[in-house]
């Protein structure tokens, strides 16, 4: 396995799921074997692949609640090379179930070790919180990507992300590295952008790619499609392809 990538931000509405989906699809389009893991109880990433979403209750909740082997929960998608571990609304119960358990932080890491030869990349879409389930993703990951929008509230959240990452490195996963922050819904010419970008760069490396806003994103979600399928020539689609190229260069 080349990389296990965690897409995380405790703030919602920053393009976390859109980034997870399009990174996973983009890597698969390069001929890589990719596993997309949906750990968000809202199941938005899973809904893009409605044909592969949870059936008969086989989803990531069972991985944590009953330690069902991950291989039994993974399903192929319509995208060649891309598999999915779908989410469930029951994931909101995981913190209570894992709290106090000695191995509570390591469930996902141990599960992924059993399929390490099956995939080149794993992309994990985390819930918008620094919960136990997010910490499972941090412990399992080799790289952390932080989607951000240009706002004061995004700046406020960076410190919490860095603190959680440093805690994980110190106690559980010394291999975890922050690959960078990805600016989403980005408009270059605004005063806010010109002011806030240097402030973000004081704390996090920024990807060269910036994701512009586009109504096509919501339209594609409504149709349960990726941008690559819905509008392959859209400016946001091209920006996600450029971002995928950047991440791919970390593969090795």
């Amino acid at each position: 396995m080349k990389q296990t990538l965690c897409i995380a931000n405790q703030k919602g509405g920053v393009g976390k799921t859109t980034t997870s989906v399009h990174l996973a699809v983009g890597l698969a389009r390069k001929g890589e074997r990719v596993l997309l893991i949906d750990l968000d109880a809202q199941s938005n990433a899973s809904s893009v692949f409605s044909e592969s979403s949870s059936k008969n209750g086989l989803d990531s909740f069972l991985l944590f609640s009953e330690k069902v082997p991950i291989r039994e929960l993974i399903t192929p998608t319509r995208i060649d090379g891309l598999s999915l571990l779908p989410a469930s609304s029951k994931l909101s119960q995981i913190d209570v179930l894992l709290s106090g358990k000695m191995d509570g932080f390591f469930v996902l890491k141990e599960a992924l070790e059993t399929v390490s030869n099956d995939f080149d990349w794993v992309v994990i879409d985390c819930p918008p919180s620094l919960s136990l389930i997010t910490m499972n993703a941090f412990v399992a990951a080799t790289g952390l990507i932080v989607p951000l929008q240009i706002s004061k509230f995004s700046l406020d959240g960076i410190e919490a992300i860095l603190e959680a990452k440093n805690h994980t490195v110190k106690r559980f996963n010394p291999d975890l590295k922050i690959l960078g922050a990805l600016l989403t819904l980005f408009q270059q010419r605004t005063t806010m952008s010109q002011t806030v970008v240097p402030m973000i760069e004081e704390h996090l490396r920024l990807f060269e790619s910036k994701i512009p806003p586009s109504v096509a994103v919501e339209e594609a979600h409504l149709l349960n499609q990726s941008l690559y399928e819905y509008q392959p020539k859209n400016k946001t689609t091209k920006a996600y392809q450029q971002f995928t190229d950047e991440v791919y260069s970390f593969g090795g």
Side-chain angles (χ1 to χ4, degrees):
M1 194 179 291
K2 297 177 181 178
Q3 290 267 15
T4 298
L5 303 176
C6 175
I7 317 299
N9 191 325
Q10 76 272 27
K11 186 179 185 302
V14 297
K16 175 181 56 62
T17 294
T18 303
T19 297
S20 300
V21 167
H22 290 88
L23 176 58
V25 174
L27 289 169
R29 283 164 51 88
K30 288 180 175 290
E32 300 290 278
R33 301 171 302 164
V34 184
L35 172 62
L36 174 62
I37 298 179
D38 191 351
L39 295 183
D40 191 339
Q42 298 178 77
S43 303
N44 289 333
S46 300
S47 70
V48 176
F49 308 99
S50 54
E51 79 285 353
S52 305
S53 294
S54 178
K55 294 179 176 62
N56 301 318
L58 297 177
D59 52 51
S60 53
F61 175 74
L62 291 178
L63 180 68
F64 294 96
S65 62
E66 300 181 29
K67 292 194 176 180
V68 172
I70 192 171
R71 200 182 301 276
E72 296 180 17
L73 306 174
I74 293 171
T75 180
T77 72
R78 64 182 179 274
I79 308 295
D80 288 344
L82 177 61
S83 298
L84 173 70
L85 175 57
S88 149
S89 60
K90 293 181 181 179
L91 284 167
S92 59
Q93 305 171 22
I94 292 300
D95 271 26
V96 174
L97 291 173
L98 295 184
S99 181
K101 291 189 177 181
M102 293 293 290
D103 63 347
F105 290 102
F106 296 92
V107 176
L108 183 59
K109 179 181 176 64
E110 292 173 354
L112 287 176
E113 287 173 351
T114 67
V115 293
S116 61
N117 294 325
D118 296 354
F119 300 100
D120 303 309
W121 300 80
V122 175
V123 178
I124 308 171
D125 183 28
C126 294
S129 65
L130 294 175
S131 58
L132 256 176
I133 201 166
T134 299
M135 293 305 296
N136 257 268
F138 278 27
V139 171
T142 54
L144 171 61
I145 295 171
V146 184
L148 289 174
Q149 288 184 18
I150 296 297
S151 73
K152 179 186 182 300
F153 299 114
S154 290
L155 285 171
D156 292 343
I158 289 175
E159 184 176 346
I161 285 280
L162 292 175
E163 184 178 339
K165 178 263 181 185
N166 292 336
H167 175 75
T168 302
V169 167
K170 183 177 180 180
R171 298 198 58 184
F172 305 115
N173 180 12
D175 297 325
L176 179 63
K177 295 179 174 59
I178 295 182
L179 299 189
L182 175 68
L183 296 179
T184 61
L185 295 177
F186 182 72
Q187 300 182 70
Q188 178 76 46
R189 295 184 178 86
T190 66
T191 301
M192 180 67 81
S193 294
Q194 295 171 9
T195 302
V196 173
V197 166
M199 299 171 70
I200 295 174
E201 290 179 313
E202 292 177 8
H203 303 280
L204 290 170
R205 169 194 175 273
L206 287 178
F207 284 96
E208 290 184 16
S209 306
K210 310 291 189 293
I211 309 301
S214 173
V215 69
V217 174
E218 291 304 319
E219 291 173 348
H221 288 171
L222 284 172
L223 296 171
N224 303 122
Q225 294 182 6
S226 70
L227 284 168
Y228 292 106
E229 297 163 291
Y230 179 60
Q231 285 194 12
K233 296 183 179 180
N234 184 277
K235 62 181 180 179
T236 302
T237 312
K238 293 179 179 179
Y240 269 120
Q241 182 60 67
Q242 182 183 353
F243 166 65
T244 300
D245 291 342
E246 283 192 73
V247 174
Y248 186 73
S249 69
F250 290 108

